Amino acid sequence: MADDSDVAQARVFLAALDDEIATVSVQLEDARRLAAEARARGDAPTGTWHEQQAATHKRTLRELHRQTQNSRTRFALA
C-alpha cells in the first residue's frame, strides 16, 4: 500500500487530470463543430484543418484517460 502522502499527491494529480480532460473535451467538441460548419459552407480546407485538430484532441483525451486509469489503479482510488 502506498503511503498517505503518495495517495494525497495522486489525488491532486487526478484532479488536475480531470480538469484537463474537461478542457480538452470542450476543445474536441468545438473542433468537430467547426469542421462540420466549414464543410457545410463548402470550405473543405478549413474543415480538414479542424478535423485534424479534433483528431489531435482525441489522441490527447485517450492519453489523459490512460493516465487517469493508471493512477487510479496504482493508488487504488475510486
Side-chain angles (χ1 to χ4, degrees):
M1 175 83 184
D3 79 33
D4 291 339
S5 64
D6 290 343
V7 172
Q9 187 174 14
R11 288 185 194 283
V12 170
F13 182 62
L14 283 170
L17 283 173
D18 287 342
D19 290 345
E20 188 66 14
I21 286 169
T23 298
V24 175
S25 294
V26 169
Q27 292 170 338
L28 173 59
E29 292 307 314
D30 286 347
R32 286 177 172 164
R33 179 183 49 78
L34 290 169
E37 289 173 1
R39 295 276 182 202
R41 288 191 312 270
D43 187 355
T46 300
T48 298
W49 187 85
H50 285 296
E51 288 167 356
Q52 291 169 344
Q53 293 299 305
T56 298
H57 294 314
K58 192 172 180 179
R59 282 190 300 273
T60 301
L61 268 179
R62 279 194 302 266
E63 176 61 19
L64 291 167
H65 282 291
R66 184 192 67 76
Q67 291 176 13
T68 298
Q69 185 57 47
N70 287 348
S71 294
R72 290 185 191 287
T73 300
R74 165 69 176 89
F75 294 99
L77 300 171

